[in-house]
Amino acid sequence: MSCRLLMLVVTAILVLGSGSTLVRAEHEGKVQILLLGDSTTEGSVPRRHVPQGPHLEDVIRELLAAEKDLPPTNVINLGLSGEYIRRLLDSGRYEKAASKLPGIDYVLIRYGLNDNARRENLAENFPKDYHELIGRLKNDHPQATLVVMTVIPYGDEATSRRLNELNSQVAKAEDLLLFDIYPRYAEELKRGPDMLNYRRFPLEKIPENRREFVKPFVVPGQAPTVEVLDNRLDAHFGQLPGWFGDRHPNLAGYHVIGDETAKFLAPLIRAKFAR
């Protein structure tokens, strides 16, 4: 009899994001979905400002729950800001946080943005790193369906195209599903180029006579920043060079990613687990 039929409850404490937030993953006969990726998967800034969410994993889980013929799911978000595949493997975080998770059914992997910035000879090393990660996932989670994802629109279009061609090549070489999130996100951006990203801007670049005004939005630190998840301050600072420079998703952006992810996963889960 399988663990799913036994309804075995296993509690795993996982490090999410910077390590300050702990989430409990309960294996209760649910379909287990694991998200691996960088800051555009983690969503640390939206979590800081709206800790109650819903965040990416919540959106995916709740949308799948709305499909009444599907079994319940548990979505584990192990995205981490600044992460790239080599660091995930070499830091020991993969081994500690991901390798021993119980009963994983699907793993969605989205890397490339930081790999592009951190790895020399990207065309050779990124696929090499990816194949190593996939090999470890296949060994640790042999029953799981592994899915390679494309990056979302973030930098210039040429860089995104290059990264997504590499992602596609890896998926083809490994005979894995490719989940192309890029077109949906790009289409949504046509409604407004800055509607899906938050604003994060150095406080020192805010005019001095407006710094008291922005106090409620300041995140302290060695280099304090003004952070706002929406467009409410655009009227005051939208003319400042770089105000719209941060392209990380806000909550609206994660709803787009979550919605498209649920649409991708639903038929796969239905075919395998539908009641």
Short mmCIF file of all heavy atoms in Angstrom, two decimals, residues 57-109:
data_model
loop_
_atom_site.label_atom_id
_atom_site.label_comp_id
_atom_site.label_asym_id
_atom_site.label_seq_id
_atom_site.Cartn_x
_atom_site.Cartn_y
_atom_site.Cartn_z
N GLU A 57 2.81 30.18 -3.83
CA GLU A 57 2.39 28.81 -3.52
C GLU A 57 0.92 28.74 -3.10
O GLU A 57 0.22 27.77 -3.40
CB GLU A 57 3.28 28.20 -2.43
CG GLU A 57 3.24 28.88 -1.08
CD GLU A 57 4.16 30.09 -0.95
OE1 GLU A 57 4.69 30.56 -1.98
OE2 GLU A 57 4.35 30.54 0.19
N ASP A 58 0.44 29.81 -2.43
CA ASP A 58 -0.97 29.85 -2.03
C ASP A 58 -1.88 29.98 -3.24
O ASP A 58 -2.94 29.34 -3.31
CB ASP A 58 -1.21 31.03 -1.08
CG ASP A 58 -0.29 31.03 0.11
OD1 ASP A 58 -0.15 29.98 0.76
OD2 ASP A 58 0.29 32.10 0.41
N VAL A 59 -1.49 30.86 -4.18
CA VAL A 59 -2.30 31.06 -5.39
C VAL A 59 -2.43 29.75 -6.16
O VAL A 59 -3.53 29.37 -6.58
CB VAL A 59 -1.68 32.16 -6.27
CG1 VAL A 59 -2.44 32.28 -7.59
CG2 VAL A 59 -1.68 33.50 -5.55
N ILE A 60 -1.31 29.06 -6.34
CA ILE A 60 -1.35 27.79 -7.07
C ILE A 60 -2.25 26.79 -6.36
O ILE A 60 -3.12 26.16 -6.97
CB ILE A 60 0.07 27.21 -7.22
CG1 ILE A 60 0.94 28.14 -8.07
CG2 ILE A 60 0.03 25.82 -7.85
CD1 ILE A 60 2.42 27.78 -8.05
N ARG A 61 -2.05 26.65 -5.05
CA ARG A 61 -2.84 25.67 -4.28
C ARG A 61 -4.34 25.99 -4.31
O ARG A 61 -5.17 25.10 -4.52
CB ARG A 61 -2.35 25.64 -2.83
CG ARG A 61 -3.03 24.57 -1.97
CD ARG A 61 -2.64 24.69 -0.52
NE ARG A 61 -3.14 25.91 0.09
CZ ARG A 61 -2.38 26.96 0.42
NH1 ARG A 61 -1.08 26.91 0.20
NH2 ARG A 61 -2.92 28.03 0.95
N GLU A 62 -4.67 27.27 -4.13
CA GLU A 62 -6.08 27.65 -4.07
C GLU A 62 -6.77 27.51 -5.43
O GLU A 62 -7.94 27.11 -5.51
CB GLU A 62 -6.20 29.07 -3.54
CG GLU A 62 -5.82 29.18 -2.07
CD GLU A 62 -5.70 30.61 -1.59
OE1 GLU A 62 -6.13 31.53 -2.33
OE2 GLU A 62 -5.18 30.83 -0.48
N LEU A 63 -6.06 27.82 -6.51
CA LEU A 63 -6.65 27.68 -7.84
C LEU A 63 -6.84 26.20 -8.19
O LEU A 63 -7.84 25.83 -8.80
CB LEU A 63 -5.78 28.37 -8.88
CG LEU A 63 -5.78 29.89 -8.84
CD1 LEU A 63 -4.78 30.47 -9.84
CD2 LEU A 63 -7.17 30.46 -9.10
N LEU A 64 -5.88 25.36 -7.80
CA LEU A 64 -6.07 23.93 -8.03
C LEU A 64 -7.21 23.37 -7.18
O LEU A 64 -7.94 22.48 -7.62
CB LEU A 64 -4.76 23.18 -7.74
CG LEU A 64 -3.62 23.43 -8.74
CD1 LEU A 64 -2.33 22.78 -8.24
CD2 LEU A 64 -3.97 22.91 -10.13
N ALA A 65 -7.37 23.91 -5.97
CA ALA A 65 -8.47 23.46 -5.11
C ALA A 65 -9.83 23.82 -5.69
O ALA A 65 -10.84 23.15 -5.40
CB ALA A 65 -8.33 24.07 -3.71
N ALA A 66 -9.86 24.87 -6.52
CA ALA A 66 -11.12 25.28 -7.15
C ALA A 66 -11.57 24.28 -8.22
O ALA A 66 -12.74 24.27 -8.61
CB ALA A 66 -10.98 26.67 -7.77
N GLU A 67 -10.64 23.45 -8.69
CA GLU A 67 -10.98 22.37 -9.62
C GLU A 67 -11.45 21.17 -8.79
O GLU A 67 -10.64 20.42 -8.26
CB GLU A 67 -9.76 22.00 -10.46
CG GLU A 67 -9.18 23.15 -11.26
CD GLU A 67 -10.11 23.62 -12.36
OE1 GLU A 67 -10.79 22.76 -12.96
OE2 GLU A 67 -10.16 24.84 -12.61
N LYS A 68 -12.74 21.01 -8.68
CA LYS A 68 -13.30 20.10 -7.69
C LYS A 68 -13.02 18.63 -7.96
O LYS A 68 -13.18 17.79 -7.07
CB LYS A 68 -14.81 20.32 -7.58
CG LYS A 68 -15.20 21.72 -7.13
CD LYS A 68 -14.53 22.09 -5.81
CE LYS A 68 -14.93 23.47 -5.33
NZ LYS A 68 -14.21 23.88 -4.10
N ASP A 69 -12.58 18.30 -9.17
CA ASP A 69 -12.26 16.90 -9.44
C ASP A 69 -10.82 16.55 -9.12
O ASP A 69 -10.41 15.39 -9.29
CB ASP A 69 -12.55 16.57 -10.92
CG ASP A 69 -11.66 17.35 -11.88
OD1 ASP A 69 -11.37 18.52 -11.57
OD2 ASP A 69 -11.27 16.80 -12.92
N LEU A 70 -10.04 17.54 -8.64
CA LEU A 70 -8.64 17.29 -8.33
C LEU A 70 -8.45 17.02 -6.84
O LEU A 70 -9.17 17.58 -6.01
CB LEU A 70 -7.78 18.49 -8.73
CG LEU A 70 -7.74 18.86 -10.21
CD1 LEU A 70 -6.81 20.04 -10.43
CD2 LEU A 70 -7.33 17.68 -11.07
N PRO A 71 -7.49 16.20 -6.49
CA PRO A 71 -7.18 15.97 -5.07
C PRO A 71 -6.52 17.22 -4.50
O PRO A 71 -6.01 18.07 -5.23
CB PRO A 71 -6.21 14.80 -5.10
CG PRO A 71 -5.57 14.88 -6.44
CD PRO A 71 -6.61 15.40 -7.38
N PRO A 72 -6.49 17.36 -3.17
CA PRO A 72 -5.82 18.51 -2.55
C PRO A 72 -4.34 18.48 -2.82
O PRO A 72 -3.74 17.42 -3.01
CB PRO A 72 -6.13 18.36 -1.06
CG PRO A 72 -6.45 16.91 -0.88
CD PRO A 72 -7.09 16.46 -2.16
N THR A 73 -3.75 19.67 -2.83
CA THR A 73 -2.32 19.78 -3.11
C THR A 73 -1.62 20.50 -1.97
O THR A 73 -2.22 21.25 -1.21
CB THR A 73 -2.07 20.55 -4.41
OG1 THR A 73 -2.56 21.89 -4.27
CG2 THR A 73 -2.74 19.89 -5.59
N ASN A 74 -0.33 20.25 -1.89
CA ASN A 74 0.55 20.99 -0.98
C ASN A 74 1.68 21.55 -1.83
O ASN A 74 2.40 20.80 -2.49
CB ASN A 74 1.11 20.07 0.10
CG ASN A 74 1.99 20.82 1.08
OD1 ASN A 74 1.62 21.88 1.57
ND2 ASN A 74 3.15 20.26 1.38
N VAL A 75 1.82 22.88 -1.86
CA VAL A 75 2.82 23.53 -2.70
C VAL A 75 3.92 24.09 -1.81
O VAL A 75 3.66 24.90 -0.92
CB VAL A 75 2.20 24.65 -3.56
CG1 VAL A 75 3.25 25.22 -4.50
CG2 VAL A 75 1.00 24.13 -4.35
N ILE A 76 5.14 23.63 -2.02
CA ILE A 76 6.29 24.00 -1.21
C ILE A 76 7.17 24.93 -2.03
O ILE A 76 7.71 24.53 -3.07
CB ILE A 76 7.09 22.76 -0.79
CG1 ILE A 76 6.19 21.74 -0.08
CG2 ILE A 76 8.27 23.15 0.10
CD1 ILE A 76 6.80 20.37 0.03
N ASN A 77 7.32 26.15 -1.58
CA ASN A 77 8.12 27.14 -2.30
C ASN A 77 9.51 27.23 -1.68
O ASN A 77 9.68 27.76 -0.58
CB ASN A 77 7.43 28.50 -2.26
CG ASN A 77 8.08 29.52 -3.17
OD1 ASN A 77 9.24 29.39 -3.56
ND2 ASN A 77 7.34 30.57 -3.52
N LEU A 78 10.52 26.72 -2.39
CA LEU A 78 11.90 26.80 -1.93
C LEU A 78 12.71 27.80 -2.74
O LEU A 78 13.94 27.73 -2.77
CB LEU A 78 12.56 25.43 -1.99
CG LEU A 78 12.17 24.43 -0.90
CD1 LEU A 78 12.99 23.16 -1.04
CD2 LEU A 78 12.36 25.02 0.48
N GLY A 79 12.04 28.73 -3.43
CA GLY A 79 12.76 29.78 -4.12
C GLY A 79 13.58 30.61 -3.15
O GLY A 79 13.22 30.77 -1.99
N LEU A 80 14.69 31.17 -3.63
CA LEU A 80 15.56 31.97 -2.77
C LEU A 80 16.19 33.10 -3.58
O LEU A 80 16.74 32.87 -4.66
CB LEU A 80 16.66 31.10 -2.17
CG LEU A 80 17.63 31.81 -1.22
CD1 LEU A 80 16.91 32.32 0.02
CD2 LEU A 80 18.77 30.87 -0.82
N SER A 81 16.12 34.29 -3.03
CA SER A 81 16.69 35.46 -3.69
C SER A 81 18.19 35.27 -3.93
O SER A 81 18.91 34.81 -3.05
CB SER A 81 16.46 36.71 -2.84
OG SER A 81 15.09 36.98 -2.72
N GLY A 82 18.63 35.63 -5.12
CA GLY A 82 20.04 35.53 -5.48
C GLY A 82 20.50 34.14 -5.89
O GLY A 82 21.66 33.95 -6.25
N GLU A 83 19.59 33.16 -5.85
CA GLU A 83 20.00 31.80 -6.10
C GLU A 83 20.22 31.52 -7.58
O GLU A 83 19.52 32.05 -8.44
CB GLU A 83 18.96 30.82 -5.57
CG GLU A 83 19.38 29.37 -5.68
CD GLU A 83 19.25 28.65 -4.37
OE1 GLU A 83 20.17 28.74 -3.54
OE2 GLU A 83 18.21 28.02 -4.17
N TYR A 84 21.20 30.67 -7.85
CA TYR A 84 21.40 30.09 -9.17
C TYR A 84 21.77 28.63 -8.95
O TYR A 84 22.05 28.22 -7.82
CB TYR A 84 22.46 30.86 -9.97
CG TYR A 84 23.78 31.06 -9.28
CD1 TYR A 84 24.91 30.30 -9.62
CD2 TYR A 84 23.93 32.03 -8.29
CE1 TYR A 84 26.13 30.49 -9.00
CE2 TYR A 84 25.16 32.22 -7.65
CZ TYR A 84 26.25 31.46 -8.01
OH TYR A 84 27.46 31.65 -7.39
N ILE A 85 21.72 27.84 -10.00
CA ILE A 85 21.79 26.40 -9.81
C ILE A 85 23.08 25.97 -9.11
O ILE A 85 23.05 25.16 -8.18
CB ILE A 85 21.65 25.67 -11.16
CG1 ILE A 85 20.26 25.92 -11.73
CG2 ILE A 85 21.88 24.17 -10.97
CD1 ILE A 85 20.05 25.33 -13.12
N ARG A 86 24.20 26.53 -9.52
CA ARG A 86 25.47 26.13 -8.91
C ARG A 86 25.47 26.41 -7.42
O ARG A 86 25.95 25.60 -6.62
CB ARG A 86 26.62 26.88 -9.60
CG ARG A 86 28.01 26.37 -9.30
CD ARG A 86 28.29 25.06 -9.98
NE ARG A 86 28.19 23.91 -9.07
CZ ARG A 86 27.85 22.70 -9.45
NH1 ARG A 86 27.57 22.43 -10.71
NH2 ARG A 86 27.79 21.72 -8.58
N ARG A 87 24.94 27.56 -7.01
CA ARG A 87 24.91 27.88 -5.59
C ARG A 87 23.96 26.97 -4.83
O ARG A 87 24.25 26.55 -3.70
CB ARG A 87 24.53 29.35 -5.37
CG ARG A 87 24.75 29.80 -3.92
CD ARG A 87 24.51 31.26 -3.74
NE ARG A 87 23.13 31.52 -3.35
CZ ARG A 87 22.68 32.71 -2.95
NH1 ARG A 87 23.48 33.75 -2.95
NH2 ARG A 87 21.43 32.88 -2.60
N LEU A 88 22.82 26.66 -5.43
CA LEU A 88 21.88 25.73 -4.79
C LEU A 88 22.56 24.42 -4.46
O LEU A 88 22.40 23.87 -3.36
CB LEU A 88 20.69 25.48 -5.72
CG LEU A 88 19.72 24.36 -5.32
CD1 LEU A 88 18.95 24.75 -4.06
CD2 LEU A 88 18.77 24.03 -6.46
N LEU A 89 23.36 23.93 -5.38
CA LEU A 89 24.01 22.64 -5.18
C LEU A 89 25.22 22.74 -4.26
O LEU A 89 25.37 21.95 -3.33
CB LEU A 89 24.45 22.07 -6.54
CG LEU A 89 23.31 21.74 -7.52
CD1 LEU A 89 23.89 21.37 -8.87
CD2 LEU A 89 22.43 20.63 -6.98
N ASP A 90 26.08 23.73 -4.49
CA ASP A 90 27.33 23.82 -3.74
C ASP A 90 27.14 24.30 -2.30
O ASP A 90 27.97 23.98 -1.44
CB ASP A 90 28.31 24.75 -4.45
CG ASP A 90 28.81 24.17 -5.77
OD1 ASP A 90 28.56 22.97 -6.01
OD2 ASP A 90 29.43 24.91 -6.56
N SER A 91 26.08 25.06 -2.03
CA SER A 91 25.86 25.58 -0.68
C SER A 91 25.35 24.51 0.28
O SER A 91 25.35 24.71 1.49
CB SER A 91 24.84 26.72 -0.73
OG SER A 91 23.56 26.23 -1.10
N GLY A 92 24.88 23.40 -0.26
CA GLY A 92 24.28 22.36 0.58
C GLY A 92 22.80 22.57 0.80
O GLY A 92 22.15 21.75 1.45
N ARG A 93 22.24 23.66 0.26
CA ARG A 93 20.82 23.94 0.48
C ARG A 93 19.93 22.91 -0.19
O ARG A 93 18.89 22.52 0.36
CB ARG A 93 20.46 25.35 0.01
CG ARG A 93 19.22 25.90 0.68
CD ARG A 93 18.99 27.35 0.32
NE ARG A 93 18.37 27.49 -0.98
CZ ARG A 93 17.04 27.46 -1.17
NH1 ARG A 93 16.22 27.29 -0.15
NH2 ARG A 93 16.55 27.61 -2.37
N TYR A 94 20.34 22.47 -1.37
CA TYR A 94 19.53 21.43 -2.02
C TYR A 94 19.47 20.19 -1.14
O TYR A 94 18.39 19.63 -0.90
CB TYR A 94 20.09 21.07 -3.40
CG TYR A 94 19.42 19.83 -3.96
CD1 TYR A 94 18.20 19.93 -4.61
CD2 TYR A 94 19.96 18.56 -3.75
CE1 TYR A 94 17.55 18.80 -5.07
CE2 TYR A 94 19.32 17.42 -4.21
CZ TYR A 94 18.11 17.55 -4.86
OH TYR A 94 17.46 16.42 -5.29
N GLU A 95 20.62 19.75 -0.67
CA GLU A 95 20.67 18.53 0.14
C GLU A 95 19.86 18.68 1.41
O GLU A 95 19.11 17.78 1.81
CB GLU A 95 22.13 18.20 0.48
CG GLU A 95 22.31 16.94 1.31
CD GLU A 95 21.87 15.69 0.58
OE1 GLU A 95 21.93 15.66 -0.67
OE2 GLU A 95 21.47 14.73 1.26
N LYS A 96 19.97 19.84 2.04
CA LYS A 96 19.30 20.06 3.33
C LYS A 96 17.80 20.26 3.17
O LYS A 96 17.00 19.71 3.94
CB LYS A 96 19.92 21.27 4.02
CG LYS A 96 19.30 21.61 5.37
CD LYS A 96 19.99 22.82 5.99
CE LYS A 96 19.34 23.18 7.33
NZ LYS A 96 19.99 24.37 7.94
N ALA A 97 17.40 21.06 2.19
CA ALA A 97 16.00 21.51 2.12
C ALA A 97 15.15 20.71 1.15
O ALA A 97 13.94 20.60 1.34
CB ALA A 97 15.95 22.99 1.74
N ALA A 98 15.75 20.16 0.10
CA ALA A 98 14.93 19.58 -0.98
C ALA A 98 15.09 18.09 -1.17
O ALA A 98 14.15 17.42 -1.60
CB ALA A 98 15.25 20.29 -2.30
N SER A 99 16.27 17.54 -0.87
CA SER A 99 16.55 16.17 -1.28
C SER A 99 15.71 15.13 -0.57
O SER A 99 15.41 14.08 -1.13
CB SER A 99 18.04 15.86 -1.07
OG SER A 99 18.37 15.84 0.31
N LYS A 100 15.31 15.42 0.67
CA LYS A 100 14.64 14.39 1.47
C LYS A 100 13.17 14.69 1.71
O LYS A 100 12.54 14.06 2.57
CB LYS A 100 15.37 14.23 2.81
CG LYS A 100 16.81 13.74 2.65
CD LYS A 100 17.55 13.68 3.97
CE LYS A 100 18.97 13.15 3.79
NZ LYS A 100 19.79 14.03 2.92
N LEU A 101 12.61 15.62 0.97
CA LEU A 101 11.18 15.88 1.11
C LEU A 101 10.37 14.63 0.75
O LEU A 101 10.68 13.96 -0.23
CB LEU A 101 10.76 17.04 0.21
CG LEU A 101 11.26 18.43 0.60
CD1 LEU A 101 10.91 19.44 -0.48
CD2 LEU A 101 10.65 18.86 1.92
N PRO A 102 9.34 14.34 1.52
CA PRO A 102 8.59 13.10 1.26
C PRO A 102 7.56 13.25 0.14
O PRO A 102 6.89 14.28 0.02
CB PRO A 102 7.89 12.85 2.60
CG PRO A 102 7.69 14.22 3.18
CD PRO A 102 8.90 15.02 2.75
N GLY A 103 7.45 12.22 -0.67
CA GLY A 103 6.32 12.09 -1.58
C GLY A 103 6.17 13.17 -2.63
O GLY A 103 5.04 13.49 -3.01
N ILE A 104 7.26 13.74 -3.14
CA ILE A 104 7.15 14.80 -4.12
C ILE A 104 6.61 14.23 -5.44
O ILE A 104 7.12 13.25 -5.96
CB ILE A 104 8.51 15.49 -4.36
CG1 ILE A 104 8.96 16.18 -3.07
CG2 ILE A 104 8.43 16.48 -5.51
CD1 ILE A 104 8.06 17.31 -2.62
N ASP A 105 5.57 14.90 -5.99
CA ASP A 105 4.95 14.45 -7.23
C ASP A 105 5.37 15.30 -8.43
O ASP A 105 5.49 14.77 -9.55
CB ASP A 105 3.42 14.50 -7.10
CG ASP A 105 2.91 13.54 -6.05
OD1 ASP A 105 3.08 12.33 -6.23
OD2 ASP A 105 2.35 14.01 -5.04
N TYR A 106 5.57 16.60 -8.21
CA TYR A 106 5.96 17.51 -9.30
C TYR A 106 7.03 18.46 -8.78
O TYR A 106 6.92 18.97 -7.65
CB TYR A 106 4.76 18.32 -9.80
CG TYR A 106 3.66 17.47 -10.39
CD1 TYR A 106 2.60 17.04 -9.59
CD2 TYR A 106 3.69 17.06 -11.72
CE1 TYR A 106 1.60 16.24 -10.10
CE2 TYR A 106 2.69 16.26 -12.24
CZ TYR A 106 1.65 15.85 -11.43
OH TYR A 106 0.65 15.04 -11.94
N VAL A 107 8.04 18.71 -9.60
CA VAL A 107 9.05 19.71 -9.29
C VAL A 107 9.10 20.69 -10.46
O VAL A 107 9.39 20.30 -11.60
CB VAL A 107 10.45 19.09 -9.08
CG1 VAL A 107 11.44 20.19 -8.68
CG2 VAL A 107 10.40 17.98 -8.03
N LEU A 108 8.81 21.96 -10.18
CA LEU A 108 8.89 23.02 -11.18
C LEU A 108 10.16 23.82 -10.93
O LEU A 108 10.34 24.36 -9.84
CB LEU A 108 7.66 23.93 -11.11
CG LEU A 108 6.43 23.44 -11.89
CD1 LEU A 108 5.91 22.12 -11.35
CD2 LEU A 108 5.31 24.48 -11.84
N ILE A 109 11.03 23.88 -11.94
CA ILE A 109 12.37 24.46 -11.78
C ILE A 109 12.48 25.70 -12.66
O ILE A 109 12.28 25.62 -13.87
CB ILE A 109 13.45 23.44 -12.19
CG1 ILE A 109 13.16 22.06 -11.59
CG2 ILE A 109 14.83 23.93 -11.79
CD1 ILE A 109 13.89 20.93 -12.29
#
